[in-house]
Amino acid sequence: MTVSAQTPARPGPGLPSPEPGWRTWPRRWPRWAPHATAAWGVGYAAVQVVWAVAGTTVPWSPHVAYAPGVQLALAALALLAAGGCLATSRPLARRGRVAVAAVLAVAIPVFGMGMASLPAYVVTLASLSGVESATGFAHVLLNTVGLALLLLVGVSHRRRLRGRCPRCGAGHTGDGSGPLVHPPASVASRRTRVQVYLLMSGLLPWAVVKTVWTLGGDALSVTAEKWRAENEGGSGVAKALASVGIDVTVLAALAGIFLLLGLMYPWGQVFPRWTLLLTGRRVPRLLPLLPAWLSAIGLSVYGVVLVIYAPLSAAGVLPRIKPDGAFTSSAGITWMVLFGGLAFGGLGFGLIAAARSYAARTRPVCAIAATDAVPGN
């Protein structure tokens, strides 16, 4: 019997049925990531050129905006990154590999700096306080998407050069598009846990001062009356939390601590009992890793800047920080800048340490790698 060209042949007895495309598509990310990154690079460059020509204000921080020349430079870098990522999808000579490595080495930190304010936008959106600059928020999102895609391309390209599977990093035969084998749930090493807890302690001075203000106390030249007046324009959610002594930024820090703990303990890998319908199921690996990596980069960079700037300003090496908002003294605001640096930097570097441990402990391998490792196969 002849099978029509328009009728797909059915799998024979004992053969697995082909999986739907929506299930295999995520497994093939090493193949489509370079093309997706190239499309992002072209779109990013077009947006930056339009903003530069139109004179659109794109804030990097509350008081600093991107100059048109910087926007054009970012557009050029995005196009270079797009070309470099496309080049990784084919065999490269030594000169080509060096060029791609150089482009990625420059592009990843630059676009990482461009999304440094993502945690601040997340906090304002979560508190229903609105977004100060829609353009700035769009710019941060563009940088965040680009950074994630560039990291995917960089990881898969590096694994290919080492002769490993670009998807799981193991050495095995096959195309690496089959199912994955996940390791059992585990606890982070004692060294990682101690390191993370020490970094988390950097939140204490900042959180204590914020709580004192919210509860009606005075600290660091800021009175309770001035603090309330400064935050009168906040959202209803922020005011409701403040009425019970909870500052919305402290609540956001607690969410970060929750994420840290999940990265270090088994309940971050298998849903615990209190998750009800999800109990016992495996936690998708990227569910904690994506917010951890994306927020850690911005928090750690911001924290380092503040920790360096505060003492240099107090010593007169850099311009002294002038009182602003509810602060009435330069010393008070300088201390708060230092406390903020310790808090943001501690949380950022803690997330980096915990995420590295989680990524290593939960890294799956292609099922075919486990088969190849069995003697006789």
Side-chain angles (χ1 to χ4, degrees), residues 114-275:
M115 51 78 61
S117 56
L118 178 64
Y121 280 107
V122 172
V123 171
T124 56
L125 288 174
S127 63
L128 303 180
S129 300
V131 176
E132 294 183 2
S133 171
T135 306
F137 183 48
H139 185 263
V140 168
L141 290 180
L142 283 171
N143 281 277
T144 302
V145 172
L147 178 64
L149 290 172
L150 286 168
L151 289 174
L152 287 177
V153 173
V155 168
S156 60
H157 179 59
R158 184 182 180 188
R159 289 172 176 173
R160 284 194 191 96
L161 294 180
R162 293 184 172 186
R164 318 292 286 182
C165 172
R167 180 189 176 204
C168 73
H172 62 74
T173 58
D175 61 358
S177 60
L180 291 171
V181 175
H182 295 266
S186 59
V187 181
S189 67
R190 178 181 177 85
R191 178 180 179 181
T192 297
R193 283 179 281 141
V194 171
Q195 182 181 8
V196 171
Y197 283 129
L198 288 175
L199 289 167
M200 283 170 54
S201 65
L203 285 162
L204 291 176
W206 172 83
V208 167
V209 172
K210 285 268 190 171
T211 304
V212 168
W213 290 337
T214 308
L215 290 174
D218 302 341
L220 299 182
S221 76
V222 176
T223 63
E225 292 76 14
K226 289 186 177 180
W227 178 253
R228 283 194 294 268
E230 189 72 17
N231 292 274
E232 282 182 353
S235 66
V237 174
K239 292 179 180 179
L241 291 172
S243 66
V244 293
I246 302 176
D247 183 82
V248 66
T249 55
V250 175
L251 188 64
L254 291 176
I257 293 174
F258 177 81
L259 178 58
L260 274 172
L261 296 176
L263 291 169
M264 292 192 296
Y265 293 98
W267 58 267
Q269 300 163 55
V270 177
F271 285 107
R273 294 179 180 178
W274 49 264
T275 56

Side-chain angles (χ1 to χ4, degrees):
M1 183 178 69
T2 303
V3 180
S4 171
Q6 296 180 352
T7 304
R10 296 181 180 180
L15 295 178
S17 300
E19 294 184 279
W22 63 270
R23 294 193 62 178
T24 59
W25 181 79
R27 301 176 184 175
R28 301 178 185 273
W29 65 264
R31 299 183 183 180
W32 55 254
H35 303 281
T37 310
W40 164 85
V42 174
Y44 183 95
V47 171
Q48 292 294 341
V49 170
V50 170
W51 282 344
V53 173
T56 304
T57 300
V58 182
W60 181 76
S61 69
H63 305 291
V64 179
Y66 287 93
V70 175
Q71 292 174 296
L72 294 177
L74 289 173
L77 181 60
L79 291 176
L80 284 175
C85 290
L86 277 180
T88 63
S89 61
R90 59 180 61 90
L92 295 173
R94 184 176 182 277
R95 186 175 298 178
R97 295 196 298 268
V98 172
V100 168
V103 169
L104 292 177
V106 174
I108 289 176
V110 168
F111 295 118
M113 288 290 293
M115 51 78 61
S117 56
L118 178 64
Y121 280 107
V122 172
V123 171
T124 56
L125 288 174
S127 63
L128 303 180
S129 300
V131 176
E132 294 183 2
S133 171
T135 306
F137 183 48
H139 185 263
V140 168
L141 290 180
L142 283 171
N143 281 277
T144 302
V145 172
L147 178 64
L149 290 172
L150 286 168
L151 289 174
L152 287 177
V153 173
V155 168
S156 60
H157 179 59
R158 184 182 180 188
R159 289 172 176 173
R160 284 194 191 96
L161 294 180
R162 293 184 172 186
R164 318 292 286 182
C165 172
R167 180 189 176 204
C168 73
H172 62 74
T173 58
D175 61 358
S177 60
L180 291 171
V181 175
H182 295 266
S186 59
V187 181
S189 67
R190 178 181 177 85
R191 178 180 179 181
T192 297
R193 283 179 281 141
V194 171
Q195 182 181 8
V196 171
Y197 283 129
L198 288 175
L199 289 167
M200 283 170 54
S201 65
L203 285 162
L204 291 176
W206 172 83
V208 167
V209 172
K210 285 268 190 171
T211 304
V212 168
W213 290 337
T214 308
L215 290 174
D218 302 341
L220 299 182
S221 76
V222 176
T223 63
E225 292 76 14
K226 289 186 177 180
W227 178 253
R228 283 194 294 268
E230 189 72 17
N231 292 274
E232 282 182 353
S235 66
V237 174
K239 292 179 180 179
L241 291 172
S243 66
V244 293
I246 302 176
D247 183 82
V248 66
T249 55
V250 175
L251 188 64
L254 291 176
I257 293 174
F258 177 81
L259 178 58
L260 274 172
L261 296 176
L263 291 169
M264 292 192 296
Y265 293 98
W267 58 267
Q269 300 163 55
V270 177
F271 285 107
R273 294 179 180 178
W274 49 264
T275 56
L276 302 179
L277 297 178
L278 297 175
T279 301
R281 296 187 179 185
R282 182 179 59 83
V283 176
R285 191 164 178 257
L286 293 181
L287 183 62
L289 278 179
L290 275 181
W293 284 122
L294 293 178
S295 58
I297 296 172
L299 288 171
S300 56
V301 171
Y302 189 49
V304 168
V305 171
L306 294 184
V307 168
I308 294 175
Y309 186 81
L312 292 179
S313 173
V317 177
L318 295 175
R320 295 186 67 85
I321 305 174
K322 296 181 181 180
D324 185 33
F327 289 92
T328 59
S329 73
S330 179
I333 194 171
T334 301
W335 276 109
M336 197 58 190
V337 168
L338 178 61
F339 290 165
L342 293 174
F344 302 141
L347 185 56
F349 284 108
L351 284 170
I352 291 175
R356 286 186 61 188
S357 171
Y358 185 92
R361 289 182 291 113
T362 62
R363 181 175 293 120
V365 296
C366 296
I368 194 172
T371 303
D372 290 346
V374 177
N377 289 330

